[in-house]
Structure formats: structure tokens, C-alpha cells
mmCIF file of all heavy atoms in Angstrom:
data_model
loop_
_atom_site.group_PDB
_atom_site.id
_atom_site.type_symbol
_atom_site.label_atom_id
_atom_site.label_comp_id
_atom_site.label_asym_id
_atom_site.label_seq_id
_atom_site.Cartn_x
_atom_site.Cartn_y
_atom_site.Cartn_z
ATOM 1 N N LEU A 1 1.108 -24.311 11.175
ATOM 2 C CA LEU A 1 1.642 -23.156 10.438
ATOM 3 C C LEU A 1 2.781 -23.488 9.580
ATOM 4 O O LEU A 1 2.922 -23.045 8.455
ATOM 5 C CB LEU A 1 2.110 -22.082 11.487
ATOM 6 C CG LEU A 1 0.980 -21.326 12.192
ATOM 7 C CD1 LEU A 1 1.616 -20.474 13.282
ATOM 8 C CD2 LEU A 1 0.200 -20.434 11.237
ATOM 9 N N VAL A 2 3.629 -24.438 10.039
ATOM 10 C CA VAL A 2 4.807 -24.912 9.195
ATOM 11 C C VAL A 2 4.241 -25.480 7.904
ATOM 12 O O VAL A 2 4.799 -25.223 6.813
ATOM 13 C CB VAL A 2 5.643 -25.896 9.954
ATOM 14 C CG1 VAL A 2 6.651 -26.598 9.060
ATOM 15 C CG2 VAL A 2 6.333 -25.239 11.122
ATOM 16 N N ALA A 3 3.181 -26.330 8.024
ATOM 17 C CA ALA A 3 2.619 -27.010 6.793
ATOM 18 C C ALA A 3 2.066 -25.963 5.837
ATOM 19 O O ALA A 3 2.300 -26.016 4.607
ATOM 20 C CB ALA A 3 1.565 -28.015 7.200
ATOM 21 N N LEU A 4 1.382 -24.943 6.345
ATOM 22 C CA LEU A 4 0.772 -23.940 5.507
ATOM 23 C C LEU A 4 1.895 -23.060 4.877
ATOM 24 O O LEU A 4 1.791 -22.724 3.710
ATOM 25 C CB LEU A 4 -0.143 -23.060 6.337
ATOM 26 C CG LEU A 4 -1.407 -23.768 6.866
ATOM 27 C CD1 LEU A 4 -2.142 -22.842 7.839
ATOM 28 C CD2 LEU A 4 -2.352 -24.132 5.736
ATOM 29 N N LEU A 5 2.849 -22.718 5.600
ATOM 30 C CA LEU A 5 3.976 -21.927 5.058
ATOM 31 C C LEU A 5 4.733 -22.663 4.019
ATOM 32 O O LEU A 5 5.173 -22.092 2.974
ATOM 33 C CB LEU A 5 4.884 -21.454 6.207
ATOM 34 C CG LEU A 5 4.291 -20.421 7.193
ATOM 35 C CD1 LEU A 5 5.202 -20.299 8.380
ATOM 36 C CD2 LEU A 5 4.039 -19.085 6.503
ATOM 37 N N ALA A 6 4.899 -23.934 4.191
ATOM 38 C CA ALA A 6 5.609 -24.798 3.239
ATOM 39 C C ALA A 6 4.822 -24.878 1.913
ATOM 40 O O ALA A 6 5.386 -24.822 0.833
ATOM 41 C CB ALA A 6 5.852 -26.156 3.814
ATOM 42 N N ALA A 7 3.524 -25.067 2.064
ATOM 43 C CA ALA A 7 2.676 -25.168 0.816
ATOM 44 C C ALA A 7 2.668 -23.784 0.085
ATOM 45 O O ALA A 7 2.764 -23.847 -1.178
ATOM 46 C CB ALA A 7 1.250 -25.478 1.227
ATOM 47 N N CYS A 8 2.633 -22.732 0.806
ATOM 48 C CA CYS A 8 2.661 -21.419 0.144
ATOM 49 C C CYS A 8 4.002 -21.228 -0.556
ATOM 50 O O CYS A 8 4.034 -20.732 -1.685
ATOM 51 C CB CYS A 8 2.491 -20.354 1.253
ATOM 52 S SG CYS A 8 3.003 -18.675 0.708
ATOM 53 N N ARG A 9 5.092 -21.575 0.081
ATOM 54 C CA ARG A 9 6.418 -21.400 -0.497
ATOM 55 C C ARG A 9 6.611 -22.192 -1.763
ATOM 56 O O ARG A 9 7.155 -21.783 -2.731
ATOM 57 C CB ARG A 9 7.457 -21.736 0.545
ATOM 58 C CG ARG A 9 8.868 -21.288 0.223
ATOM 59 C CD ARG A 9 9.763 -21.537 1.370
ATOM 60 N NE ARG A 9 11.080 -21.025 1.187
ATOM 61 C CZ ARG A 9 12.077 -21.085 2.067
ATOM 62 N NH1 ARG A 9 11.842 -21.686 3.246
ATOM 63 N NH2 ARG A 9 13.278 -20.611 1.812
ATOM 64 N N ALA A 10 6.010 -23.447 -1.755
ATOM 65 C CA ALA A 10 6.153 -24.323 -2.904
ATOM 66 C C ALA A 10 5.334 -23.828 -4.106
ATOM 67 O O ALA A 10 5.725 -23.953 -5.256
ATOM 68 C CB ALA A 10 5.712 -25.745 -2.530
ATOM 69 N N GLY A 11 4.126 -23.236 -3.782
ATOM 70 C CA GLY A 11 3.259 -22.899 -4.852
ATOM 71 C C GLY A 11 3.402 -21.478 -5.358
ATOM 72 O O GLY A 11 2.787 -21.076 -6.305
ATOM 73 N N ARG A 12 4.258 -20.671 -4.658
ATOM 74 C CA ARG A 12 4.323 -19.230 -5.083
ATOM 75 C C ARG A 12 5.243 -19.045 -6.262
ATOM 76 O O ARG A 12 6.417 -19.467 -6.191
ATOM 77 C CB ARG A 12 4.810 -18.434 -3.896
ATOM 78 C CG ARG A 12 4.705 -16.899 -4.139
ATOM 79 C CD ARG A 12 5.054 -16.109 -2.913
ATOM 80 N NE ARG A 12 6.511 -16.195 -2.618
ATOM 81 C CZ ARG A 12 7.010 -16.456 -1.398
ATOM 82 N NH1 ARG A 12 6.185 -16.625 -0.385
ATOM 83 N NH2 ARG A 12 8.287 -16.505 -1.196
ATOM 84 N N SER A 13 4.723 -18.493 -7.329
ATOM 85 C CA SER A 13 5.605 -18.161 -8.491
ATOM 86 C C SER A 13 6.211 -16.810 -8.308
ATOM 87 O O SER A 13 5.548 -15.914 -7.762
ATOM 88 C CB SER A 13 4.781 -18.255 -9.773
ATOM 89 O OG SER A 13 3.702 -17.379 -9.705
ATOM 90 N N PRO A 14 7.406 -16.580 -8.852
ATOM 91 C CA PRO A 14 7.971 -15.246 -8.715
ATOM 92 C C PRO A 14 7.195 -14.156 -9.341
ATOM 93 O O PRO A 14 6.672 -14.328 -10.460
ATOM 94 C CB PRO A 14 9.357 -15.451 -9.414
ATOM 95 C CG PRO A 14 9.600 -16.894 -9.448
ATOM 96 C CD PRO A 14 8.250 -17.491 -9.544
ATOM 97 N N ARG A 15 7.049 -13.042 -8.660
ATOM 98 C CA ARG A 15 6.351 -11.858 -9.222
ATOM 99 C C ARG A 15 7.264 -10.669 -8.985
ATOM 100 O O ARG A 15 8.008 -10.591 -8.018
ATOM 101 C CB ARG A 15 5.040 -11.585 -8.533
ATOM 102 C CG ARG A 15 4.008 -12.696 -8.727
ATOM 103 C CD ARG A 15 2.694 -12.160 -8.255
ATOM 104 N NE ARG A 15 1.683 -13.193 -8.145
ATOM 105 C CZ ARG A 15 0.378 -12.975 -7.884
ATOM 106 N NH1 ARG A 15 -0.024 -11.731 -7.682
ATOM 107 N NH2 ARG A 15 -0.470 -13.917 -7.831
ATOM 108 N N PRO A 16 7.189 -9.640 -9.817
ATOM 109 C CA PRO A 16 7.904 -8.430 -9.474
ATOM 110 C C PRO A 16 7.419 -7.813 -8.275
ATOM 111 O O PRO A 16 6.200 -7.806 -7.945
ATOM 112 C CB PRO A 16 7.644 -7.549 -10.753
ATOM 113 C CG PRO A 16 6.388 -8.055 -11.351
ATOM 114 C CD PRO A 16 6.369 -9.544 -11.012
ATOM 115 N N PRO A 17 8.292 -7.222 -7.459
ATOM 116 C CA PRO A 17 7.787 -6.555 -6.184
ATOM 117 C C PRO A 17 6.854 -5.444 -6.489
ATOM 118 O O PRO A 17 7.011 -4.734 -7.447
ATOM 119 C CB PRO A 17 9.069 -6.137 -5.513
ATOM 120 C CG PRO A 17 10.106 -6.041 -6.618
ATOM 121 C CD PRO A 17 9.721 -7.101 -7.646
ATOM 122 N N VAL A 18 5.889 -5.277 -5.549
ATOM 123 C CA VAL A 18 4.933 -4.162 -5.645
ATOM 124 C C VAL A 18 5.466 -3.000 -4.797
ATOM 125 O O VAL A 18 5.705 -3.225 -3.623
ATOM 126 C CB VAL A 18 3.500 -4.578 -5.098
ATOM 127 C CG1 VAL A 18 2.604 -3.356 -5.205
ATOM 128 C CG2 VAL A 18 2.991 -5.755 -5.975
ATOM 129 N N PRO A 19 5.692 -1.827 -5.386
ATOM 130 C CA PRO A 19 6.255 -0.766 -4.580
ATOM 131 C C PRO A 19 5.315 -0.348 -3.556
ATOM 132 O O PRO A 19 4.081 -0.198 -3.785
ATOM 133 C CB PRO A 19 6.484 0.379 -5.609
ATOM 134 C CG PRO A 19 5.596 0.035 -6.756
ATOM 135 C CD PRO A 19 5.451 -1.465 -6.805
ATOM 136 N N ARG A 20 5.894 -0.106 -2.303
ATOM 137 C CA ARG A 20 5.031 0.378 -1.243
ATOM 138 C C ARG A 20 4.727 1.849 -1.388
ATOM 139 O O ARG A 20 5.553 2.650 -1.782
ATOM 140 C CB ARG A 20 5.785 0.153 0.120
ATOM 141 C CG ARG A 20 5.082 0.695 1.302
ATOM 142 C CD ARG A 20 5.471 -0.083 2.542
ATOM 143 N NE ARG A 20 6.888 -0.132 2.771
ATOM 144 C CZ ARG A 20 7.574 0.771 3.540
ATOM 145 N NH1 ARG A 20 6.949 1.788 4.000
ATOM 146 N NH2 ARG A 20 8.874 0.642 3.691
ATOM 147 N N GLN A 21 3.462 2.258 -1.126
ATOM 148 C CA GLN A 21 3.004 3.628 -1.282
ATOM 149 C C GLN A 21 3.458 4.380 -0.017
ATOM 150 O O GLN A 21 3.092 4.028 1.104
ATOM 151 C CB GLN A 21 1.518 3.691 -1.431
ATOM 152 C CG GLN A 21 0.935 2.934 -2.614
ATOM 153 C CD GLN A 21 1.433 3.480 -3.930
ATOM 154 O OE1 GLN A 21 1.948 4.586 -4.000
ATOM 155 N NE2 GLN A 21 1.269 2.735 -4.955
ATOM 156 N N GLU A 22 4.211 5.398 -0.255
ATOM 157 C CA GLU A 22 4.620 6.267 0.900
ATOM 158 C C GLU A 22 3.614 7.343 1.098
ATOM 159 O O GLU A 22 2.840 7.738 0.206
ATOM 160 C CB GLU A 22 6.025 6.941 0.632
ATOM 161 C CG GLU A 22 7.136 5.893 0.341
ATOM 162 C CD GLU A 22 7.451 5.079 1.554
ATOM 163 O OE1 GLU A 22 7.044 5.511 2.709
ATOM 164 O OE2 GLU A 22 8.058 4.049 1.473
ATOM 165 N N THR A 23 3.586 7.868 2.312
ATOM 166 C CA THR A 23 2.618 8.909 2.635
ATOM 167 C C THR A 23 2.947 10.190 1.894
ATOM 168 O O THR A 23 2.054 10.808 1.358
ATOM 169 C CB THR A 23 2.663 9.216 4.172
ATOM 170 O OG1 THR A 23 2.357 8.026 4.862
ATOM 171 C CG2 THR A 23 1.664 10.261 4.540
ATOM 172 N N ALA A 24 4.259 10.556 1.765
ATOM 173 C CA ALA A 24 4.589 11.723 1.054
ATOM 174 C C ALA A 24 4.493 11.475 -0.435
ATOM 175 O O ALA A 24 4.732 10.358 -0.867
ATOM 176 C CB ALA A 24 6.010 12.190 1.437
ATOM 177 N N GLY A 25 4.170 12.462 -1.228
ATOM 178 C CA GLY A 25 4.153 12.254 -2.663
ATOM 179 C C GLY A 25 3.444 13.452 -3.316
ATOM 180 O O GLY A 25 2.923 14.351 -2.707
ATOM 181 N N ALA A 26 3.489 13.392 -4.612
ATOM 182 C CA ALA A 26 2.898 14.487 -5.428
ATOM 183 C C ALA A 26 1.455 14.265 -5.523
ATOM 184 O O ALA A 26 0.962 13.742 -6.567
ATOM 185 C CB ALA A 26 3.582 14.581 -6.825
ATOM 186 N N ALA A 27 0.689 14.562 -4.500
ATOM 187 C CA ALA A 27 -0.739 14.376 -4.487
ATOM 188 C C ALA A 27 -1.405 15.682 -4.643
ATOM 189 O O ALA A 27 -0.986 16.696 -4.042
ATOM 190 C CB ALA A 27 -1.211 13.776 -3.170
ATOM 191 N N PRO A 28 -2.488 15.763 -5.470
ATOM 192 C CA PRO A 28 -3.206 17.022 -5.631
ATOM 193 C C PRO A 28 -3.674 17.496 -4.227
ATOM 194 O O PRO A 28 -4.264 16.767 -3.480
ATOM 195 C CB PRO A 28 -4.358 16.634 -6.517
ATOM 196 C CG PRO A 28 -3.950 15.427 -7.264
ATOM 197 C CD PRO A 28 -2.960 14.732 -6.307
ATOM 198 N N ASP A 29 -3.432 18.775 -3.934
ATOM 199 C CA ASP A 29 -3.815 19.321 -2.622
ATOM 200 C C ASP A 29 -5.273 19.134 -2.315
ATOM 201 O O ASP A 29 -5.646 18.803 -1.183
ATOM 202 C CB ASP A 29 -3.453 20.822 -2.549
ATOM 203 C CG ASP A 29 -1.971 21.060 -2.499
ATOM 204 O OD1 ASP A 29 -1.217 20.085 -2.207
ATOM 205 O OD2 ASP A 29 -1.501 22.181 -2.783
ATOM 206 N N ARG A 30 -6.113 19.293 -3.320
ATOM 207 C CA ARG A 30 -7.558 19.221 -3.045
ATOM 208 C C ARG A 30 -7.986 17.873 -2.644
ATOM 209 O O ARG A 30 -8.906 17.708 -1.879
ATOM 210 C CB ARG A 30 -8.271 19.569 -4.415
ATOM 211 C CG ARG A 30 -9.783 19.360 -4.408
ATOM 212 C CD ARG A 30 -10.465 20.369 -3.495
ATOM 213 N NE ARG A 30 -11.893 20.205 -3.585
ATOM 214 C CZ ARG A 30 -12.691 20.583 -2.703
ATOM 215 N NH1 ARG A 30 -12.284 21.101 -1.568
ATOM 216 N NH2 ARG A 30 -14.065 20.419 -2.826
ATOM 217 N N LEU A 31 -7.190 16.830 -3.024
ATOM 218 C CA LEU A 31 -7.574 15.454 -2.715
ATOM 219 C C LEU A 31 -6.856 14.993 -1.459
ATOM 220 O O LEU A 31 -7.357 14.170 -0.711
ATOM 221 C CB LEU A 31 -7.299 14.519 -3.868
ATOM 222 C CG LEU A 31 -7.976 14.869 -5.178
ATOM 223 C CD1 LEU A 31 -7.605 13.840 -6.206
ATOM 224 C CD2 LEU A 31 -9.496 15.006 -5.047
ATOM 225 N N ALA A 32 -5.617 15.453 -1.266
ATOM 226 C CA ALA A 32 -4.801 14.806 -0.234
ATOM 227 C C ALA A 32 -4.916 15.522 1.068
ATOM 228 O O ALA A 32 -4.755 14.854 2.155
ATOM 229 C CB ALA A 32 -3.322 14.841 -0.644
ATOM 230 N N ASP A 33 -5.127 16.800 1.103
ATOM 231 C CA ASP A 33 -5.106 17.564 2.391
ATOM 232 C C ASP A 33 -6.538 17.821 2.892
ATOM 233 O O ASP A 33 -7.387 18.284 2.165
ATOM 234 C CB ASP A 33 -4.401 18.881 2.170
ATOM 235 C CG ASP A 33 -2.941 18.657 1.849
ATOM 236 O OD1 ASP A 33 -2.406 17.630 2.305
ATOM 237 O OD2 ASP A 33 -2.374 19.497 1.142
ATOM 238 N N PRO A 34 -6.760 17.598 4.131
ATOM 239 C CA PRO A 34 -8.097 17.876 4.757
ATOM 240 C C PRO A 34 -8.354 19.348 4.803
ATOM 241 O O PRO A 34 -7.440 20.145 4.915
ATOM 242 C CB PRO A 34 -8.015 17.289 6.159
ATOM 243 C CG PRO A 34 -6.598 17.239 6.458
ATOM 244 C CD PRO A 34 -5.835 17.007 5.170
ATOM 245 N N VAL A 35 -9.625 19.699 4.697
ATOM 246 C CA VAL A 35 -9.993 21.109 4.753
ATOM 247 C C VAL A 35 -10.461 21.383 6.187
ATOM 248 O O VAL A 35 -11.184 20.684 6.773
ATOM 249 C CB VAL A 35 -11.173 21.360 3.785
ATOM 250 C CG1 VAL A 35 -11.574 22.816 3.848
ATOM 251 C CG2 VAL A 35 -10.711 21.000 2.368
ATOM 252 N N GLY A 36 -9.924 22.459 6.770
ATOM 253 C CA GLY A 36 -10.318 22.876 8.093
ATOM 254 C C GLY A 36 -11.739 23.233 8.234
ATOM 255 O O GLY A 36 -12.371 23.623 7.256
ATOM 256 N N PRO A 37 -12.295 23.198 9.400
ATOM 257 C CA PRO A 37 -13.721 23.510 9.574
ATOM 258 C C PRO A 37 -14.120 24.901 9.234
ATOM 259 O O PRO A 37 -15.229 25.126 8.807
ATOM 260 C CB PRO A 37 -13.927 23.258 11.076
ATOM 261 C CG PRO A 37 -12.566 23.328 11.700
ATOM 262 C CD PRO A 37 -11.622 22.887 10.667
ATOM 263 N N ASP A 38 -13.186 25.888 9.248
ATOM 264 C CA ASP A 38 -13.570 27.237 8.900
ATOM 265 C C ASP A 38 -13.706 27.403 7.374
ATOM 266 O O ASP A 38 -14.444 28.234 6.942
ATOM 267 C CB ASP A 38 -12.516 28.237 9.468
ATOM 268 C CG ASP A 38 -12.547 28.242 10.978
ATOM 269 O OD1 ASP A 38 -13.606 27.946 11.587
ATOM 270 O OD2 ASP A 38 -11.486 28.514 11.575
ATOM 271 N N ALA A 39 -12.920 26.575 6.625
ATOM 272 C CA ALA A 39 -12.989 26.733 5.175
ATOM 273 C C ALA A 39 -13.922 25.746 4.571
ATOM 274 O O ALA A 39 -14.180 25.807 3.409
ATOM 275 C CB ALA A 39 -11.573 26.508 4.591
ATOM 276 N N ALA A 40 -14.485 24.824 5.325
ATOM 277 C CA ALA A 40 -15.169 23.725 4.756
ATOM 278 C C ALA A 40 -16.657 23.979 4.562
ATOM 279 O O ALA A 40 -17.423 23.907 5.452
ATOM 280 C CB ALA A 40 -15.038 22.479 5.735
ATOM 281 N N GLY A 41 -17.034 24.165 3.272
ATOM 282 C CA GLY A 41 -18.423 24.243 2.883
ATOM 283 C C GLY A 41 -19.259 25.256 3.623
ATOM 284 O O GLY A 41 -20.493 25.136 3.585
#
């Protein structure tokens, strides 16, 4: 593991961080929220 981690560290070029997706957000209700069984189809 030490050898693999060392190789990864040597070969990794800097990249801008990727923002983590939070659960909360401005998501369209139709896509984000489940439909209950009484309303569903």
C-alpha cells in the first residue's frame, strides 16, 4: 500500500477540487421527490 500510495502521489497533477453534491438543493419537485402510492399513476 505504501508503494502504491507513493506512486499515486508522485504522478498526480493538481486539479481544481470537485464540489461535493449535497442532498438539499434546488431540484425540480417532479424529479427529486418520490410520488406516494395514492398519487402514483
Side-chain angles (χ1 to χ4, degrees):
L1 286 173
V2 169
L4 293 171
L5 293 168
C8 163
R9 194 172 184 179
R12 190 174 69 225
S13 58
R15 296 192 191 187
V18 178
R20 175 153 56 90
Q21 302 294 346
E22 300 295 341
T23 302
D29 290 343
R30 172 66 176 159
L31 303 181
D33 294 331
V35 179
D38 293 331

